[in-house]
Each structure stands twice: as C-alpha cells, then as structure tokens.
Amino acid sequence: MGRSEAVGLVLARPARLLGVEPFFMEFIAGIEETLAERRLSVLLHVVATHDEEIATHRRWAERDLVEAVVVVNLTVGDRRPDVLAGLGLPAIMAGAWDGGPDTPAVVTDSTGPVREALARLLELGHRRIARVTGPGALVHTRARTAALTDGCRAAGIEPVLLEGDYSAEAGVELTEQLLRRQERPTAIIYDNDVMAVAGLGAAKAAGIEVPSQLSLLAWDDSTMCRLASPALSTMSVDVHQFGVSVAESVLELIDGRPVTPRWSPAARFVPRGTTAPLTG
C-alpha cells in the first residue's frame, strides 16, 4: 500500500471546459476503476497554466501527497517530464509523446487515424477539406496537422487549418470563418466533440445543409455527438480503456516493476449523419 494512497492528475485547462467536454471524465473513470482495486484514488487538481501545474507537483512531492502522477496534454518542448524527474516523483506520460523510450508512457497514435479520416473524406469526393484544431503547442495537435498536411499533399490538395481551444465558442467562430470563405470547404474535421457540435449549429444557422452541402467529422465520440441532429460522424476512441491502460502502467511504476509499453486504443471512423458523398 502506498503512503498516500493517491495518484495525482493535474489538468491545465479552463475549468469551464471540464463541465461540457466528456473526454477527461471518461479518462479519469478508467483510471479510478483500476486503481480502486488497490484502494488507491485519483487526486485531481485543475489549474490554468503549466507553471501552476509544476507548482502543484512540487507541493505534492514535498508533502508526499501522491505516489505517482499522470501527465497529459504534452506540449512541444514540455518542461514537466524533466521537472518531475528532478523531484523524484514517478510519472506516466499519457497521450502523444515525442520523448525518449526510457520514460514510462501510454502513447497515442496521432497520425494513423488522421490518415484514415482523410481517406474516408476523399472516398466521399471531398477536395476542399478544413480542420479546426486544438491548441497548436500540443504534441498531438502538431502530429495530426503534419499527418493531414502530408496526406492532402499526396492527394494534390491543400487543407485549411484554423486553431481553436476546444470550446464551443471557438467551434462557432471558426466554422463561421470557414463558411465565409469564397471557396468554402465541403468537409471540416474538428479536434474535439464540443467544437464539432457547435460547428454543426453554426452551419445550420448559416443555412448550410449537413451533410448534402457540408460534411462534418468530430474527434472523440460522446453522447452529445450521438444526440446531435443529425448525429455526428466521429473518430471514436475508447477513452475509458485509455484510462485503464494508464492506471495499469501507474501500478507497475508504483510497485517498482518494469513498466510495460502500452498504446491507447486507436481512433476509428464511425459514420453517422454528418458525412456523405459530395454532390454537385
């Protein structure tokens, strides 16, 4: 049994997004379900910046409040892995990870699913493809962008990329920008479900018929995607299993055992009512 009986998770993101974006709640549920078998729990803290996250890690280490931490939303040149190593605080990197193989991680494939999403849209005849991304500093955002750009280049087209912040407000504003373009896209990929649902609403408000005039594809499935009208096509991830895999790695780390290399479940295309062959 660990001294603290807790595993730490700091989310550096606007707290308002946690109430509407189900990804992290499903992720945490998967972690907690597995940790509960060892009577461990998740100590969750929400902050605004990585500096505040690092300050939290320092406090936890000084007070022995957690046995290990999970690090999410890794960024290019991320300082957190080195800081945690310096603190002697065991850590699992979760998600897109471009660091060394010696750092324990549950890695997400950010490129293969993008190639699949693009292939599906190309099969439907779409040539003007846009993407509303998450924050550009995130490793997985950059990996997805590179994969989409390379795939579009191979297909002889150029994607339109607009950076969002995962919020509904960004989904509306950036979709409206895309629809005002002289050559508006015929398909838009969104980096999360919240922006996609908001984008669907913006398209309806603009009088654009989905999917006959515009196809929309959300990253990450959720109840809101399934209940939208029409229901949103998605790149669906088993987020709960992702959390379970992270917790399994955490337990190996706490026990001092070698941490098994693990991958999060791959995103897969789930067609629903917002993707269709291009007409006209």
Side-chain angles (χ1 to χ4, degrees):
M1 181 66 66
R3 291 167 307 201
S4 66
E5 300 186 4
V7 172
L9 173 62
V10 184
L11 298 181
R13 62 194 293 105
R16 62 186 174 85
L17 292 181
L18 293 179
V20 294
E21 187 181 41
F23 178 94
F24 276 110
M25 294 303 100
E26 294 181 28
F27 178 68
I28 293 168
I31 295 176
E32 287 189 320
E33 177 183 289
T34 304
L35 294 183
E37 298 172 5
R38 291 274 295 274
R39 297 187 180 179
L40 292 167
S41 60
V42 175
L43 177 57
L44 175 65
H45 193 50
V46 180
V47 298
T49 67
H50 279 176
D51 285 341
E52 293 175 85
E53 179 174 350
I54 288 171
T56 300
H57 289 153
R58 292 188 189 280
R59 186 173 68 254
W60 285 351
E62 290 168 0
R63 301 179 183 178
D64 286 332
L65 292 179
V66 296
E67 290 300 305
V69 298
V70 176
V71 181
V72 297
N73 282 342
L74 290 146
T75 60
V76 177
D78 205 314
R79 296 185 295 129
R80 292 172 293 171
D82 286 342
V83 170
L84 290 165
L87 292 171
L89 193 54
I92 295 290
M93 306 298 126
W97 169 241
D98 58 0
D102 294 334
T103 302
V106 179
V107 182
T108 298
D109 178 10
S110 298
T111 59
V114 171
R115 290 193 291 266
E116 180 184 357
L118 176 60
R120 298 296 185 131
L121 293 176
L122 292 174
E123 288 171 1
L124 294 172
H126 295 283
R127 306 287 292 177
R128 297 200 302 271
I129 296 171
R131 176 164 157 258
V132 176
T133 80
L138 295 174
V139 173
H140 74 256
T141 298
R142 294 201 180 187
R144 290 178 189 177
T145 295
L148 182 65
T149 301
D150 290 347
C152 285
R153 185 182 298 117
I157 60 178
E158 186 73 24
V160 177
L161 302 168
L162 295 180
E163 183 177 337
D165 63 1
Y166 296 136
S167 70
E169 293 81 4
V172 170
E173 178 183 348
L174 298 179
T175 302
E176 289 175 344
Q177 287 185 30
L178 290 169
L179 298 182
R180 286 195 298 266
R181 294 175 64 92
Q182 184 172 0
E183 286 194 341
R184 70 171 186 250
T186 63
I188 305 174
I189 304 170
Y190 296 85
D191 261 12
N192 79 335
D193 48 358
V194 174
M195 293 193 297
V197 172
L200 174 60
K204 288 181 178 180
I208 305 298
E209 295 184 3
V210 177
S212 60
Q213 294 179 295
L214 176 67
S215 284
L216 303 180
L217 180 60
W219 213 275
D220 298 334
D221 204 353
S222 67
T223 299
M224 71 174 72
C225 289
R226 294 187 287 273
L227 294 180
S229 181
L232 273 155
S233 299
T234 67
M235 295 302 296
S236 182
V237 180
D238 188 343
V239 180
H240 185 273
Q241 179 57 48
F242 184 19
V244 169
S245 297
V246 167
E248 291 171 344
S249 292
V250 166
L251 291 175
E252 290 175 345
L253 190 65
I254 291 173
D255 291 343
R257 293 178 284 152
V259 178
T260 304
R262 292 180 172 89
W263 287 78
S264 69
R268 58 185 181 84
F269 179 69
V270 177
R272 295 197 183 103
T274 59
T275 47
L278 181 64
T279 59

